[in-house]
Amino acid sequence: MPTGHELRQSFLEYFHQHGHTIVPSSSLIPQADPTLLFTNAGMVQFKGVFLGEEQREYARAASSQKCLRAGGKHNDLENVGYTGRHHTFFEMLGNFSFGDYFKEDAIRFGWEYLTAVLQLPKDRLWATVYQEDDEAYGLWEKIGVPSSRIMRCGEKDNFWQMAETGPCGPCSEIHYDQGAGVAGDAVPNGTGDRVMEIWNLVFMQYHRNEHGTLHPLPKPSIDTGMGLERLAAVVQGKTTNYDSDLFRPIIRAIEELAHRPYGTSEDEDRAMRVIADHLRAISFMIADGILPSNEGRGYVLRRILRRAGRYGRLLGLEGPFLYKLTDVVIAELKAAYPELERTKSTILHVTNAEEERFLDTLDKGLRLLDEIVADAKRAKRTSISGKALFKLYDTYGFPLDLAADSARDQGLTLDEAGFQAALQEQRERARKSAGFEATKTKPIYTEVSRLTSPTVFLGYEEFTTQATVLAIITQERMAKDVVEGDEVEVVLDRTPFYAEGGGQAGDQGVLTGPEGTIEIKQTIKPVPEVFVHQGIVTRGRVRQGDLVQASLNLSLRLAAARNHTGTHLLHAALREVLGPHVKQYGSLVAPSRLRFDFAHFSPVRPIQLEEVEGLVNERIRLNDRIGTKVMGITEAVQEGALAFFGDKYGDKVRVVEIDAFSKELCGGTHCRHTGEIGLFKLVAETGVAAGVRRIEAQTGEGAYELLKHREAEIQALADLFKTNPPDVLAKARKLVASLKEKDQELEKLKARLASGGAGKEAGEIRKVSGISVYNHQMDGMEMNDLRALADIVRDREKSCIVVLGSVKDDKASLLVAVTKDLSGRFPANELIKPLAAIIGGTGGGRPEMAQAGGKLTHEMDRALAQAFSEVERKANG
């Protein structure tokens, strides 16, 4: 009986023998595809081929693709555990034809593999076809399937399309009858699991336009998908996927941890199935660089983790436990997916941290659920509102079925319709916030790509070249010529201009023709292999067909190259200092700066940043050679080149290698030796999302200018402190120590005043004509300190006049403050004037507060004493 791993290998070997190129699984994060949250089918990595946007060196392919269906349109999360065949994470075996073979061979391969290679009994297999697809029906009969086991079905079951428009076609599914011992109908697409779909053969033969009309494709193609988990269960004679060898080791580990046997309690069995499934999803998501968060993919991971953790409670597992079980998942699947072993420590760390976070919120959720149930009963409602249910689900990770259990115990039902409405609103918000909305290429770019040949990029070696203008676009329309002042987009047959991509900004420069000049501000590549140069006509006229001199701005290009090479060095240094879990989450490479986002769990400590910066500059001083080569993506990854999710890679990739320090897949422009960078200087390290950090840095001239600016700031500080730059730090420390000492004195004084302390030390309060006058001298105080003390006294006394004096650095300072109830009769700005004259100065301010300064410090006692006389004079005047 073949194992799941042997079946995977068997499938790939069979199709390899039949002329298919074996293509490794792509990431769970779709390559440069904003329309998908996750890779959910084997065809996702070939989507561009089916759409005609890219070419491959082969016309036949086969793969075992890791897939996730737990968010967006394809979401099996709520079914997991309740059926024996639904999963969040699964492997999809698929064979593909890109304009090569079609229906007959696809059907023959499928039938031969299942019946001849795997020797499944023919009398247990069914074939379904689209109701109008007579060709497929006849091919199944031709291969020997009796008509009694060929079933015609409607569009819902047997017609497939990628989107509302685009490639589509009928499909034919192979189903397996598990026998009368399994509940369900004895025909395909019925109820229950008895007859289970195992393989879907899609015949992409049409293109559906925006009006819904089908047009035959010039090169019909094949896209098939078969779940490895279902296949393993069928071949191994199991009635559920969870009984196959792909899941049994994981379930055994759960049994041992929970001290409960599988197969004795349906509720506990369901909990074990959920945990086993979710453990695989958790491990693969983290291995591909996804971290828990409150939006997008990270939100889905958080939900899966918390759902698994909540089901653990049903098994008596109170503390964090999932992280302990990730080892068994990695051990079982690392041979096929070595990225699991490489990211083992990250998987354990992230899982454990998220579990601990969840345990804190879970208890709060349980208390909230009790309150919701109690409120419903007090109000004599028979149902729990959908809004309340969704709050439990969204905030505390409560699956609907668990809330239903508690409600049932209390004789309540659930407002499931309200819950589903709230859930759908949240999904829409999550999709929009994460940017997973379908994006469309402007029709004009698609039109240009059909009318022109691909642009030849020369920019790795050449900075200027002669080129022919293939197309001109202005105001989103094709134009034959453009004149001075026109904003234009130009497509050339060849170009040295790098098009924006991989985080690197597009090149700028000039196109000079026989009659005019265009200043290029940006270069983009809106469709594969077509470079669009965006700019403005600054002189004369430029026509379609002109021969132009394309010259890029060399200083900007070289600055961007320094920053791009610096980014590669930074990435490698971060992995060396922080660990291999560091993965690129995004980058910006512009001539003026670089920005690098990466996975890490906490702020990078200053000593670590210092080490990272030192490593990068060490590689710069070593003047390492930077080599590039083009190779197959499989070979590149096997050689240790780093690839990043969200980026688009074909079969042939460009590898940028810096000695033995860094090796990445990259299409950007770089220095030839690291010494050309000159200098690397970190600017800032910040957090941008849960588990994602950002570093900003400068290289070359930008780093030099940054240091010049900082040097100027130090000189300015030296001038301010009246010292030399080398002594600024010592002077600053002395000042800080003095300020700290003054702060301590002030705090002590505030405490004495607040406690109502008396005596000369705390100042004197005297009644003058029935008015409370507080009078106190506190030398060494700044005016801000005097104002703070005045506020304390006014707040304490409620109705009073405050007169404060201080002598510091041969300067006398006075402050008069009056509570609002007295400021009309005793304006502070009038009271202070005669006092200011005594210390040889002037004063002013508002009726509620005024201040003065003078040089006659020895007259401070007389000035303060005069305050009583001035109050008495105004009171009696």
Side-chain angles (χ1 to χ4, degrees), residues 135-153:
E135 181 185 3
Y137 193 100
L139 290 170
W140 282 114
E141 283 188 316
K142 178 181 177 182
I143 212 167
V145 180
S147 58
S148 60
R149 300 189 76 81
I150 307 173
M151 186 173 172
R152 293 181 184 268
C153 298

Side-chain angles (χ1 to χ4, degrees), residues 741-752:
E741 182 181 335
K742 295 301 180 185
D743 285 342
Q744 289 171 346
E745 292 176 4
L746 182 60
E747 289 303 317
K748 288 177 182 177
L749 186 56
K750 286 180 180 178
R752 287 198 298 272

Side-chain angles (χ1 to χ4, degrees), residues 137-426:
Y137 193 100
L139 290 170
W140 282 114
E141 283 188 316
K142 178 181 177 182
I143 212 167
V145 180
S147 58
S148 60
R149 300 189 76 81
I150 307 173
M151 186 173 172
R152 293 181 184 268
C153 298
E155 188 168 323
K156 176 179 177 292
D157 293 309
N158 281 83
F159 195 92
W160 183 93
Q161 58 188 55
M162 187 178 295
E164 294 299 320
T165 61
C168 59
C171 60
S172 184
E173 297 174 340
I174 303 174
H175 297 249
Y176 183 79
D177 187 347
Q178 300 191 88
V182 178
D185 296 334
V187 293
N189 299 324
T191 60
D193 287 346
R194 173 173 171 173
V195 179
M196 180 172 64
E197 175 207 337
I198 57 173
W199 205 342
N200 186 14
L201 316 178
V202 177
F203 311 132
M204 277 198 274
Q205 62 187 99
Y206 300 112
H207 180 278
R208 190 190 296 273
N209 66 18
E210 59 271 19
H211 304 296
T213 306
L214 297 176
H215 298 280
L217 289 172
K219 291 184 177 181
S221 298
I222 292 293
D223 159 28
T224 85
M226 173 165 58
L228 176 62
E229 292 77 7
R230 292 191 187 188
L231 181 64
V234 165
V235 171
Q236 294 169 14
K238 309 298 182 182
T239 56
T240 80
N241 298 356
Y242 294 96
D243 292 321
S244 75
D245 75 306
L246 291 172
F247 283 93
R248 282 304 301 161
I250 305 173
I251 290 178
R252 277 196 299 271
I254 299 169
E255 288 179 296
E256 292 172 7
L257 196 62
H259 305 293
R260 284 170 165 78
Y262 182 75
T264 58
S265 162
E266 178 52 35
D267 288 342
E268 292 184 353
D269 289 354
R270 182 186 305 118
M272 290 189 192
R273 290 194 293 269
V274 169
I275 294 168
D277 170 271
H278 289 9
L279 274 167
R280 299 197 331 155
I282 290 164
S283 299
F284 275 94
M285 291 173 81
I286 296 172
D288 274 358
I290 302 170
L291 297 175
S293 70
N294 289 326
E295 61 183 25
R297 299 181 179 108
Y299 177 74
V300 175
L301 173 57
R302 174 160 285 168
R303 283 181 59 202
I304 291 174
L305 267 159
R306 293 186 169 190
R307 191 169 190 263
R310 182 64 184 90
Y311 272 100
R313 283 288 184 101
L314 299 180
L315 298 176
L317 298 168
E318 295 293 327
F321 70 93
L322 292 169
Y323 77 97
K324 300 175 185 177
L325 297 167
T326 55
D327 272 354
V328 67
V329 176
I330 294 168
E332 288 298 309
L333 290 160
K334 66 182 180 182
Y337 300 101
E339 64 267 27
L340 291 172
E341 181 68 25
R342 290 196 300 267
T343 56
K344 183 176 180 177
S345 62
T346 306
I347 294 169
L348 186 147
H349 178 98
V350 173
T351 304
N352 185 37
E354 184 64 18
E355 282 189 278
E356 289 179 345
R357 184 195 298 259
F358 175 52
L359 288 174
D360 180 52
T361 61
L362 180 61
D363 290 335
K364 297 175 185 175
L366 287 169
R367 289 195 295 271
L368 180 59
L369 178 58
D370 290 340
E371 291 173 12
I372 291 170
V373 170
D375 288 344
K377 296 187 78 172
R378 275 195 300 269
K380 296 184 179 180
R381 293 193 299 269
T382 59
S383 176
I384 296 177
S385 76
K387 186 177 180 180
L389 287 169
F390 181 72
K391 182 177 180 181
L392 278 171
Y393 174 82
D394 189 49
T395 307
Y396 301 105
F398 266 67
L400 186 63
D401 56 286
L402 296 176
D405 290 341
S406 296
R408 258 195 313 270
D409 293 342
Q410 300 294 328
L412 300 172
T413 59
L414 305 182
D415 173 19
E416 293 195 33
F419 172 84
Q420 292 298 335
L423 178 62
Q424 187 58 38
E425 287 179 12
Q426 191 280 331

